[in-house]
Amino acid sequence: MSNCPHNTIIMRVLLVLLSFLFALQSPAQVFQLKGRVMDENGAPLELATVACIKQGKVTMTDLKGEYRMTLSTADSVELRFSMVGYQTRTRLLRKPRTSQTLQVQLQPMENLQEVTVTERRRQTTPTEQLDIKDMKGAPTTTGNAVEELIQQQAGVSTHNELSSQYNVRGGSFDENSVYINNVEVYRPLLIRSGQQEGLSVINPDMVEKIGFSTGGFEAKYGDKMSSALDITYHRADKTTASATASLLGAQAFVAVANKSKTFAMSHGFRYKTTKALLKSLETTGEYDPRFLDYQTYISYRPNKRWSLDIIGNISDNRYNFKPKDRETSFGTMESVKTFKVYFDGEEKDLFRTFFGTAALTRYFGDSTSLKLFYSAFHTREQECYDLQGQYWLDDTQTTENLGVGTYMEHGRNYLKARVHSLQLMFSKRLRQHDVEAGVTYKWEHVSEQSREYEMRDSAGYSVPHSTQRLDMIYTLSSAGELDSRRIEGYVQDRWRFDSGQNYFTLALGVRFAHWTFNRETLLSPRASLSWVPAFNDRWTFRLATGLYYQAPFYKELRDTTTNQNGVTVATLNSHIRAPRSIHAIVGADYRFRMADRPFRFTAEAYYKALSRLIPYNVQNVKVTYYGQNAGSGYTAGVDMKLYGEFVPGTDSWLTLSLMTSRQKLDGQWIPMPTDQRWGLNLHFTDYFPGTKRWLMTLRGALAGGLPFGPPHRGLGRDTFRAPAYRRADIGLSYHVLDNKNRRHGRLIRNIWLGVDCLNLLGISNVNSYYWVTDVTNRQYAVPNYLTGRQFNVNLRVEL
């Protein structure tokens, strides 16, 4: 009897242990969750993220917007549904059953700037979508914020802060296509220096979306070999206005929409003057640059079936310059030379352009549309200059005079051009397919009268010296007229499909074009594939290939290789053929979080096989073509980009590009004029500690030098390398007034005050070279330096 209590205790302990063991062996209770994620119209959203954070479970919706996941049961299970461009939604399930179905509808974000970013848009095509807020508040020298944003992307380079033009993966300025609302736009043809460049056709205040591709782009984009920039203008949905003023110009913007939103219009006015910036150049004088631009976007949508959209642009760019003198020091520490010039004469340039487009759209439901476009581009351009310089070249250490002489540059260049086009475009979105097709007919007319020469007198002798006649070192005469027609068309399909948990996007397309001037027909097949693997959905792998052509325009037709009695006579070559490039691209994106902030690392390797090249020289931003298919070559490289929140709440990125680009000309392999071996770009933003009213933006560029050589001697003489391009700009912005929600009933929503320091480190970058000859017939390359350190103050008011 005395042992009974003891035995009872033992039995109870054994029962508890057995119960615990059985509990460990029995499986945890789980339930199956499935459902569908849709947008505000009920259409499925593919690749939306469904997450149960507490249980560490994440999945994505398939192409039908459907998802399925297994979760552990609990009193309550919290789920988060998110996708880029839509508001994140959270749902709470209480005591879920064995099988649960949950349908979720996501609403689009009305103001992306006020939303905390939890993930980045996944790139499943060769076109990357850039964030427009990354260009706001950044320091600018040209006023062309979109192009300056493009210049900081991987694979893109520039060596002139006064120019908005850019090179992409070894291509020339002319190899980049630009579209606004599905219509290709043009730029002036005669511009030869960054000082002459005015405002680009893209108005940053009107931009809603920016798509950019550095290669392997789809068939919808025209016949260019290097890149495609796709701009979508914002259709006004409410009344807003803004105004900006700075030492480098001013701009104003107003948007109006009626209550029913059937009618909307936007107007933008911009004025730019770089007078203060140009005064930091070594050449002193009277600079008078004046650049004006007006744009409008009018949209009328009376019902869900029809819409009419009109875009108009008027641009008037004038550049007047009277140089006075210049003094440049160059050479090495052991041998410093000085180059002094006293000038006479002046330069007067005019670039006036008109651009307009009208688009009539018929909608057949939410997924099918047919659009008819008409566009027109007119330009009138003139360059008139007579500049005489008397120069002295001295050795500063020995005080020896190495050369003295006079040079004179004369130019009378006039050009008029007009391009009209009629385009029909069809698009249809199916469950797994996005089908597009289009056909375009263009009328082109260009007329030109140009006369340029350069006389150089060294120590009393004209260079080159001849006892028979007075020869100029350079003379060009051109009188041409082009009247031609083009027909272009394309068809493409973007197919989204999945296999298990693997998600694929396959884009196939073909483009054709025919030009009446040279009677050439082009056929351009293109393909790309992206893969989101099942083993890790943070990765996205991409492949792209295609046959691309550079459809010649007026500049490429001018044959500048014909010489008659010492004069280069430019004629139009009707036997020219479009240069050709075969793209092969492989790339990958990896999305990750670090310190609970989103990041994305992108890497791409590419190879471009080039044939039927039209060789060209580059002086400043002027591209002069040979006018003949005389070369072949290749471009190969690697581009890398790290993008994310280096600082919480702000976007920054770092890019690294490695490249080689060579061409074979007259049996000799030589570097392309754009052979930039390496490039590094930094865009860094940060708030001041303890406040978000102060924002700092730092932009840095470090790029390898380009090849160069004596002028008018051929590309084979370009055996030298310019110094690396090094530049840093910093901007500080103070948010004076933040009244976005109009809590106080004020008319003004935002006021920003900014101060920029351009060329923060005061580095003298080389833009080009002027060649002089001393008394021993030895040539010296005198560098033409770009702008120095300059400050700019700006004020922006938003209503």
Side-chain angles (χ1 to χ4, degrees):
M1 296 293 295
S2 61
N3 293 332
C4 288
H6 182 70
N7 292 336
T8 301
I9 294 174
I10 294 175
M11 290 297 295
R12 289 178 178 176
V13 172
L14 290 174
L15 288 173
V16 172
L17 291 173
L18 289 173
S19 300
F20 181 71
L21 291 173
F22 278 119
L24 290 177
Q25 293 179 0
S26 61
Q29 294 184 358
V30 296
F31 71 98
Q32 297 292 326
L33 177 65
K34 61 180 180 179
R36 196 164 181 242
V37 180
M38 301 164 288
D39 63 12
E40 72 279 11
N41 298 318
L45 289 176
E46 67 270 13
L47 300 182
T49 300
V50 183
C52 181
I53 303 300
K54 292 183 178 179
Q55 298 186 21
K57 299 291 184 67
V58 180
T59 188
M60 290 190 304
T61 59
D62 60 17
L63 301 179
K64 301 177 183 178
E66 297 175 352
Y67 67 94
R68 183 185 299 270
M69 61 193 312
T70 302
L71 299 173
S72 300
T73 57
D75 290 338
S76 63
V77 177
E78 185 179 289
L79 298 164
R80 189 177 69 183
F81 300 83
S82 61
M83 186 172 180
V84 174
Y86 293 85
Q87 299 177 17
T88 299
R89 188 171 181 182
T90 302
R91 295 291 299 272
L92 189 66
L93 299 179
R94 297 190 179 276
K95 295 182 179 180
R97 301 183 298 271
T98 304
S99 179
Q100 189 93 17
T101 301
L102 182 60
Q103 315 286 0
V104 175
Q105 196 170 39
L106 300 182
Q107 298 297 322
M109 294 179 179
E110 296 182 358
N111 193 337
L112 293 175
Q113 296 180 357
E114 301 176 4
V115 177
T116 300
V117 178
T118 58
E119 62 177 312
R120 299 295 173 186
R121 181 182 297 274
R122 189 183 297 271
Q123 183 182 342
T124 57
T125 69
T127 300
E128 179 184 5
Q129 297 297 320
L130 305 180
D131 199 332
I132 61 173
K133 69 182 180 63
D134 289 337
M135 66 182 180
K136 294 182 178 180
T140 175
T141 55
T142 66
N144 302 317
V146 174
E147 286 83 353
E148 292 190 4
L149 177 65
I150 297 300
Q151 291 172 351
Q152 287 197 298
Q153 303 306 309
V156 184
S157 64
T158 180
H159 289 76
N160 190 341
E161 66 270 9
L162 292 173
S163 173
S164 61
Q165 301 186 55
Y166 49 88
N167 305 111
V168 178
R169 292 180 174 176
S172 73
F173 303 136
D174 300 320
E175 295 179 18
N176 307 310
S177 60
V178 180
Y179 289 80
I180 297 180
N181 287 20
N182 296 306
V183 176
E184 187 174 9
V185 297
Y186 299 84
R187 61 182 181 86
L189 302 175
L190 288 183
I191 288 180
R192 58 187 176 88
S193 69
Q195 291 91 317
Q196 296 173 321
E197 278 195 35
L199 294 157
S200 77
V201 69
I202 305 173
N203 188 326
D205 285 333
M206 305 176 75
V207 173
E208 180 182 41
K209 296 180 182 178
I210 304 175
F212 182 63
S213 175
T214 54
F217 38 89
E218 297 171 310
K220 65 184 293 185
Y221 300 114
D223 296 303
K224 301 288 186 180
M225 291 200 307
S226 290
S227 73
L229 176 59
D230 192 351
I231 301 295
T232 302
Y233 274 0
H234 174 69
R235 185 183 187 272
D237 53 6
K238 58 184 178 181
T239 299
T240 60
S242 66
T244 304
S246 74
L247 299 179
L248 299 179
Q251 61 189 55
F253 171 77
V254 60
V256 179
N258 61 0
K259 292 184 179 180
S260 61
K261 298 182 180 181
T262 57
F263 178 80
M265 63 179 178
S266 303
H267 302 276
F269 173 81
R270 294 180 292 167
Y271 167 72
K272 170 185 170 182
T273 175
T274 54
K275 182 182 297 185
L277 195 61
L278 297 178
K279 286 183 178 179
S280 65
L281 297 173
E282 289 188 331
T283 301
T284 64
E286 298 179 15
Y287 291 94
D288 186 20
R290 289 171 293 168
F291 311 118
L292 296 172
D293 174 270
Y294 167 75
Q295 289 195 38
T296 183
Y297 176 27
I298 301 174
S299 178
Y300 177 57
R301 298 181 182 178
N303 50 53
K304 293 184 178 181
R305 293 178 298 172
W306 292 95
S307 70
L308 176 64
D309 298 279
I310 299 174
I311 295 177
N313 170 243
I314 301 174
S315 178
D316 187 274
N317 299 322
R318 299 171 183 267
Y319 176 73
N320 300 326
F321 176 44
K322 292 182 179 181
K324 182 180 179 182
D325 56 48
R326 163 187 174 175
E327 182 173 352
T328 303
S329 298
F330 66 101
T332 63
M333 295 293 293
E334 294 78 16
S335 178
V336 180
K337 309 290 190 300
T338 59
F339 180 66
K340 296 182 181 179
V341 187
Y342 296 93
F343 293 100
D344 291 313
E346 64 179 330
E347 176 178 355
K348 291 186 176 182
D349 304 325
L350 169 67
F351 305 93
R352 182 177 295 152
T353 60
F354 301 88
F355 171 75
T357 176
L360 180 65
T361 305
R362 175 67 163 92
Y363 297 96
F364 303 90
D366 295 331
S367 59
T368 306
S369 66
L370 184 66
K371 297 184 178 182
L372 179 65
F373 297 87
Y374 173 75
S375 65
F377 169 77
H378 286 215
T379 180
R380 176 194 168 196
E381 306 172 24
Q382 68 177 41
E383 283 184 320
C384 299
Y385 56 88
D386 287 289
L387 301 174
Q388 177 179 277
Q390 297 177 336
Y391 68 86
W392 285 261
L393 180 64
D394 299 319
D395 190 317
T396 59
Q397 293 183 338
T398 64
T399 67
E400 178 185 2
N401 180 261
L402 302 177
V404 60
T406 301
Y407 68 86
M408 180 175 181
E409 296 177 351
H410 167 88
R412 292 293 185 272
N413 302 326
Y414 304 93
L415 183 141
K416 292 183 179 180
R418 60 178 183 269
V419 179
H420 295 244
S421 68
L422 194 64
Q423 178 182 359
L424 187 66
M425 188 172 72
F426 171 80
S427 63
K428 184 172 183 61
R429 182 182 176 90
L430 303 173
R431 176 177 295 180
Q432 295 179 247
H433 295 266
D434 291 337
V435 180
E436 283 190 32
V439 60
T440 305
Y441 188 77
K442 294 182 179 180
W443 302 263
E444 302 168 339
H445 181 82
V446 182
S447 60
E448 178 209 17
Q449 293 283 341
S450 294
R451 179 73 177 180
E452 299 177 1
Y453 67 78
E454 179 181 350
M455 185 273 291
R456 193 173 299 176
D457 185 308
S458 179
Y461 293 93
S462 178
V463 180
H465 179 65
S466 172
T467 59
Q468 304 297 324
R469 61 178 184 267
L470 177 63
D471 286 336
M472 303 294 174
I473 194 169
Y474 163 72
T475 305
L476 173 68
S477 177
S478 176
E481 186 167 348
L482 171 68
D483 197 355
S484 62
R485 306 289 183 268
R486 293 182 198 261
I487 183 169
E488 304 170 350
Y490 74 94
V491 59
Q492 69 177 42
D493 178 25
R494 190 182 301 164
W495 178 28
R496 303 176 302 277
F497 60 97
D498 57 67
S499 176
Q501 292 295 316
N502 295 280
Y503 299 93
F504 299 91
T505 301
L506 176 63
L508 299 173
V510 63
R511 184 177 185 88
F512 75 90
H514 178 78
W515 195 23
T516 60
F517 179 77
N518 61 359
R519 300 179 181 178
E520 182 182 26
T521 301
L522 307 175
L523 194 65
S524 174
R526 307 173 187 182
S528 66
L529 174 68
S530 73
W531 169 40
V532 180
F535 63 82
N536 191 339
D537 62 7
R538 294 181 177 182
W539 284 99
T540 303
F541 299 98
R542 294 188 305 275
L543 298 172
T545 187
L547 179 61
Y548 295 83
Y549 290 93
Q550 178 71 23
F553 197 45
Y554 187 80
K555 290 168 62 176
E556 292 93 327
L557 300 180
R558 296 167 76 239
D559 187 346
T560 58
T561 62
T562 304
N563 192 288
Q564 298 178 3
N565 298 323
V567 178
T568 300
V569 180
T571 58
L572 301 185
N573 182 6
S574 61
H575 300 290
I576 201 78
R577 291 293 177 263
R580 183 167 55 199
S581 174
I582 300 175
H583 291 196
I585 302 170
V586 57
D589 291 349
Y590 180 67
R591 304 190 305 168
F592 62 97
R593 298 187 70 84
M594 185 169 58
D596 200 31
R597 298 194 296 270
F599 287 87
R600 183 183 72 239
F601 177 73
T602 302
E604 282 191 353
Y606 60 91
Y607 181 84
K608 298 194 290 187
L610 310 174
S611 59
R612 307 199 303 190
L613 292 178
I614 305 174
Y616 59 87
N617 289 296
V618 180
Q619 183 72 7
N620 203 311
V621 297
K622 181 181 180 181
V623 181
T624 303
Y625 291 88
Y626 280 31
Q628 297 180 356
N629 300 105
S632 60
Y634 68 90
T635 300
V638 177
D639 294 331
M640 291 170 282
K641 179 180 180 180
L642 178 63
Y643 183 98
E645 294 186 5
F646 292 24
V647 175
T650 65
D651 293 331
S652 302
W653 64 88
L654 177 69
T655 70
L656 174 64
S657 300
L658 305 173
M659 183 197 71
T660 179
S661 183
R662 300 180 65 82
Q663 63 179 333
K664 189 176 183 180
L665 185 62
D666 297 328
Q668 178 186 3
W669 282 100
I670 58 175
M672 297 279 285
T674 55
D675 181 33
Q676 177 185 288
R677 300 293 178 83
W678 54 272
L680 187 69
N681 287 313
L682 171 68
H683 182 104
F684 179 75
T685 56
D686 191 9
Y687 291 108
F688 276 43
T691 179
K692 287 193 174 182
R693 286 187 175 270
W694 283 98
L695 177 67
M696 183 275 294
T697 303
L698 174 66
R699 298 174 54 175
L702 183 62
L706 300 177
F708 74 97
H712 319 303
R713 300 290 184 88
L715 291 173
R717 298 289 300 275
D718 290 356
T719 57
F720 304 99
R721 284 268 173 184
Y725 181 81
R726 302 162 295 165
R727 186 176 176 89
D729 300 327
I730 189 171
L732 298 177
S733 300
Y734 178 64
H735 204 170
V736 179
L737 176 64
D738 184 1
N739 191 33
K740 294 178 182 178
N741 298 322
R742 303 184 188 274
R743 294 185 299 270
H744 309 296
R746 297 173 181 170
L747 177 63
I748 300 177
R749 289 188 300 121
N750 291 290
I751 298 179
W752 286 90
L753 179 64
V755 178
D756 300 336
C757 181
L758 307 174
N759 196 357
L760 175 65
L761 304 178
I763 298 174
S764 298
N765 288 301
V766 178
N767 178 36
S768 58
Y769 289 88
Y770 186 81
W771 292 78
V772 296
T773 307
D774 65 9
V775 293
T776 63
N777 207 31
R778 182 180 179 182
Q779 285 190 316
Y780 295 87
V782 181
N784 297 317
Y785 291 113
L786 287 164
T787 59
R789 185 185 293 111
Q790 185 71 29
F791 289 91
N792 185 33
V793 180
N794 58 79
L795 175 67
R796 181 174 177 84
V797 179
E798 298 177 352
L799 306 180

